[in-house]
Amino acid sequence: ADAPKFSEVFLGDGTEVMPRAIRVGDALYAWRVTSIDPRTGRRPEGPVEQMGQALRNMQQLLQETGLAPENVARATGYIRDPGDRDAVYQYWDELYPDPSDRPAFKVLIDALPEDEEAWLQMLAYAGERRTRFDIEGVPARDPTVRVGPWVFSSRVHGTDRTTSTVPAGAETQVKLAYENLKSLVQQAGGQISDIKQITAYMRDTDLAPAVEANLRTLTESELPSVVLRNVQSFVRRSEEHTSELQSRGLIS
């Protein structure tokens, strides 16, 4: 079969040096949607307004490439301060008010430059709409969706579907998350062998060896060639963890 057509996406008057996105066939990938207002050349103040501007820039990119917000499969927001995580959902929820029809979305922490407090990455698929999948007993603010041939999840938690709670212990959570991942893939019409990459998020890098060893034990019989990635990132803090950080003077 012929290889999908590859193209770079430039906006504006054609003087841009770096493309805003790349398109391969029907897939559109924007690796850095900034919060710079194209009318002023400046960023608005604050993470909430910057996320709002980044989403407006995302919509402009979609429009100029012949796509629309309903074609978006996955978006990742990056902010500097974990405390801003919930606040930046304001403009996201305005763009996608229907919980049953949202892209997979997650917010991660990044070491941003001094004047930058929010930016986005985005994947979209032309001509396709999202279908949401959920596991009974596993609540999810942001969904797992299928768009065209892709399945994306905002995040698969180590939630026990029989109790709708997250038990203590990294090993238990990894096992539950893996079982939930398999369930979502199967609901989307896929097979376990279709999984090509698993990214594990953890609170502390000290957990990385144990998490990877446990996850590899779970996958080796079913996914001998799967790529495992460990990423230290923001996970919503428990009250106990928040108190610990406050006692150490790391947060106020």
Side-chain angles (χ1 to χ4, degrees):
D2 294 336
K5 181 180 178 181
F6 173 89
S7 61
E8 297 179 325
V9 178
F10 295 88
L11 302 181
D13 57 7
T15 61
E16 292 183 332
V17 177
M18 295 293 292
R20 298 285 184 95
I22 58 173
R23 183 165 179 173
V24 182
D26 289 327
L28 179 71
Y29 174 51
W31 59 86
R32 192 170 186 88
V33 182
T34 73
S35 59
I36 296 175
D37 188 332
R39 300 168 301 175
T40 65
R42 295 184 172 185
R43 295 184 177 88
E45 293 186 6
V48 177
E49 293 304 321
Q50 287 194 17
M51 184 62 74
Q53 184 61 55
L55 286 169
R56 289 189 288 274
N57 293 344
M58 182 187 81
Q59 292 177 79
Q60 179 191 11
L61 174 63
L62 291 166
Q63 181 179 6
E64 296 198 19
T65 51
L67 281 74
E70 57 263 27
N71 303 129
V72 176
R74 174 183 177 181
T76 304
Y78 294 86
I79 58 175
R80 183 187 303 126
D81 187 344
D84 295 327
R85 180 180 183 272
D86 291 333
V88 299
Y89 273 97
Q90 174 183 332
Y91 287 103
W92 179 260
D93 289 349
E94 289 179 6
L95 179 59
Y96 295 107
D98 183 358
S100 67
D101 188 22
R102 288 174 176 159
F105 182 56
K106 61 183 175 184
V107 180
L108 301 178
I109 306 306
D110 195 9
L112 301 178
E114 184 176 351
D115 63 339
E116 189 171 17
E117 297 185 70
W119 63 279
L120 285 169
Q121 290 179 335
M122 180 268 294
L123 276 161
Y125 200 82
E128 297 284 351
R129 289 189 61 90
R130 295 173 298 273
T131 301
R132 175 170 181 159
F133 300 93
D134 289 283
I135 303 172
E136 185 176 356
V138 181
R141 187 202 189 283
D142 297 299
T144 295
V145 299
R146 178 168 183 167
V147 181
W150 296 345
V151 176
F152 291 107
S153 181
S154 56
R155 188 172 293 154
V156 182
H157 294 273
T159 304
D160 185 337
R161 66 185 74 180
T162 62
T163 63
S164 298
T165 61
V166 179
E171 182 175 340
T172 300
Q173 291 182 22
V174 167
K175 290 179 179 178
L176 288 169
Y178 184 59
E179 292 303 316
N180 291 339
L181 174 64
K182 291 195 295 184
S183 177
L184 288 168
V185 169
Q186 291 167 344
Q187 285 189 56
Q191 304 293 326
I192 303 305
S193 58
D194 294 326
I195 300 174
K196 302 303 180 185
Q197 176 180 304
I198 296 175
T199 302
Y201 294 85
M202 64 209 69
R203 194 187 304 277
D204 192 327
T205 52
D206 291 343
L207 293 172
V211 168
E212 181 168 356
N214 186 252
L215 188 53
R216 193 167 294 282
T217 297
L218 292 170
T219 61
E220 61 184 5
S221 61
E222 297 176 311
L223 301 170
S225 61
V226 70
V227 176
L228 302 178
R229 296 178 59 228
N230 288 318
V231 179
Q232 183 187 22
S233 184
F234 170 67
V235 179
R236 187 182 300 276
R237 293 191 296 260
S238 65
E239 292 184 6
E240 180 180 356
H241 185 55
T242 299
S243 298
E244 178 187 350
L245 293 179
Q246 289 173 334
S247 68
R248 293 163 59 189
L250 298 178
I251 63 172
S252 58

